[in-house]
Amino acid sequence: MLRAIHYVARSACVQMSLGGGTRTLSQSVWKCQASQVPSTLWKLGRLNHVAIATPNLEASTALYRDVMGAQVSQPEDLPEHGVTTVFVTLDNTKLELLYPLGNNSPIQNFLDKNKSGGLHHVCIEVDNIQAAMEEVKAHKVRCLSKEPRIGAHGKPVVFLHPKDCAGVLVELEEA
Amino acid sequence: MLRAIHYVARSACVQMSLGGGTRTLSQSVWKCQASQVPSTLWKLGRLNHVAIATPNLEASTALYRDVMGAQVSQPEDLPEHGVTTVFVTLDNTKLELLYPLGNNSPIQNFLDKNKSGGLHHVCIEVDNIQAAMEEVKAHKVRCLSKEPRIGAHGKPVVFLHPKDCAGVLVELEEA
């Protein structure tokens, strides 16, 4: 029963937004107070990682390891994801250095536009990715795949459209 | 004595780099193993926040509050920093939404180039900002101010040049 009430509260919020003729997040959503009722369907968790695309994996690894004194992993090739990754361990989360692997790397386009590299995406954990996808889609936030995919860490992930997230590529990962 | 040994170890690493004629981080730094000796002069800490510049603070706040269900702060104007900020609380760190305030906002140039907004910088804590600045400068990583400044949270901060940090604007904050 509690679940039903919370779900109705969130749905009402969506209807307010749609009823106001908004096509994207807007003032009407901003004023919606429904989120003050905590959702029991899914919960946002910790920041899993910040991904940094780099044109020089060795130099970027050296920066965090030799200059900053952080612990870094060995480079790992992930051919199915088109990247080589190095993880930089911080006290509360990690940085994920991404370097293109193969001819169709999903980060090559980003590096073509950002020659020095740069911040590529943030990954936030959720406890129920299906419920999270339904909710963001109901709020007109586009998902970049119809279903969750298995991400680089072997867990279900979905990416949200940057234009619906303040220009930021947001990855949700079921922890 | 232990401090002295560690300092020498790190200095040797720098000299290797300089001796090789490198002007920026390079293969020679990559191969330097001195960082395996933990520094006692300063220590990298947690990721304090990920900053996101947005052209629509209300919509971006609504995204994280109403769609994602995150706790968000009230907007706060920081005239001396040229931004209005909203903090999004995640379990282990926070996102800092930045919106330009005044005529000389330091993020206006970024938003002119990134109309939808985007990931602006990462802020990592250090326990001794002066020692951290000395070390990064010794490795030819440029600091954007000669001395630490008081940042948006009232603590000493310094920004590192993105071109020396894999295209990423990195803020170090003394926690």
Side-chain angles (χ1 to χ4, degrees):
Chain A
M1 181 59 186
L2 202 58
R3 276 182 181 245
I5 290 169
H6 290 164
Y7 188 71
V8 167
R10 283 218 172 195
S11 299
C13 173
V14 179
Q15 280 196 317
M16 276 176 60
S17 169
L18 298 176
T22 57
R23 297 190 58 187
T24 55
L25 291 166
S26 70
Q27 198 87 0
S28 61
V29 180
W30 163 259
K31 287 176 179 167
C32 171
Q33 296 301 312
S35 69
Q36 291 178 4
V37 181
S39 170
T40 56
L41 295 176
W42 69 283
K43 191 175 175 303
L44 201 68
R46 60 196 294 284
L47 182 76
N48 186 281
H49 63 265
V50 180
I52 295 170
T54 174
N56 187 333
L57 188 59
E58 293 191 355
S60 298
T61 304
L63 170 73
Y64 289 101
R65 185 191 57 196
D66 300 333
V67 183
M68 304 284 199
Q71 276 204 320
V72 302
S73 71
Q74 288 297 312
E76 185 178 0
D77 289 346
L78 300 174
E80 70 275 30
H81 293 285
V83 290
T84 301
T85 60
V86 166
F87 285 101
V88 178
T89 301
L90 300 178
D91 282 358
N92 55 338
T93 188
K94 53 189 181 283
L95 308 180
E96 183 180 34
L97 306 179
L98 300 175
Y99 182 76
L101 178 68
N103 294 326
N104 296 306
S105 175
I107 60 165
Q108 190 57 59
N109 191 37
F110 178 88
L111 286 173
D112 290 343
K113 292 179 187 163
N114 303 274
K115 302 290 184 197
S116 304
L119 291 164
H120 187 263
H121 68 265
V122 291
C123 174
I124 309 177
E125 296 177 1
V126 296
D127 60 354
N128 182 335
I129 201 161
Q130 288 287 1
M133 284 180 74
E134 284 170 28
E135 183 142 353
V136 301
K137 283 192 280 188
H139 282 83
K140 303 288 182 194
V141 173
R142 287 165 285 179
C143 297
L144 298 188
S145 61
K146 285 190 176 178
E147 297 293 333
R149 294 182 175 174
I150 298 304
H153 315 141
K155 295 181 176 178
V157 304
V158 68
F159 284 89
L160 310 183
H161 199 305
K163 291 213 169 167
D164 301 336
C165 299
V168 175
L169 181 60
V170 176
E171 180 181 17
L172 300 180
E173 177 178 300
E174 190 166 277
Chain B
M1 182 59 187
L2 202 59
R3 276 182 180 241
I5 291 170
H6 290 163
Y7 188 73
V8 167
R10 283 218 170 193
S11 298
C13 172
V14 178
Q15 279 197 318
M16 276 177 61
S17 170
L18 297 177
T22 56
R23 297 189 57 187
T24 56
L25 291 166
S26 70
Q27 201 86 0
S28 62
V29 179
W30 163 259
K31 286 175 179 167
C32 170
Q33 297 300 313
S35 68
Q36 291 177 4
V37 182
S39 171
T40 55
L41 295 176
W42 69 283
K43 191 175 176 300
L44 202 68
R46 58 196 296 283
L47 182 76
N48 185 279
H49 63 266
V50 180
I52 295 170
T54 174
N56 187 334
L57 188 59
E58 293 190 354
S60 297
T61 304
L63 170 73
Y64 289 101
R65 186 190 56 198
D66 301 332
V67 182
M68 304 283 198
Q71 276 204 320
V72 302
S73 72
Q74 288 297 311
E76 185 178 359
D77 289 346
L78 300 174
E80 70 275 30
H81 293 284
V83 291
T84 301
T85 60
V86 166
F87 285 102
V88 178
T89 302
L90 300 178
D91 282 359
N92 55 338
T93 187
K94 51 189 182 284
L95 309 180
E96 182 179 35
L97 306 178
L98 300 176
Y99 182 77
L101 178 67
N103 294 327
N104 296 306
S105 175
I107 60 166
Q108 190 58 58
N109 191 38
F110 178 88
L111 286 173
D112 290 343
K113 291 179 188 163
N114 303 274
K115 302 290 185 198
S116 304
L119 291 165
H120 188 264
H121 68 266
V122 290
C123 175
I124 309 178
E125 295 177 1
V126 295
D127 61 354
N128 182 336
I129 200 161
Q130 288 286 1
M133 283 180 74
E134 282 170 27
E135 184 142 353
V136 302
K137 283 191 283 188
H139 281 84
K140 303 290 183 192
V141 173
R142 287 165 285 179
C143 298
L144 297 188
S145 60
K146 285 189 176 177
E147 296 294 331
R149 294 182 175 175
I150 298 303
H153 314 140
K155 296 180 175 177
V157 304
V158 68
F159 285 89
L160 309 184
H161 199 304
K163 291 212 169 167
D164 301 335
C165 300
V168 175
L169 180 60
V170 175
E171 180 181 16
L172 299 180
E173 178 178 299
E174 190 167 278

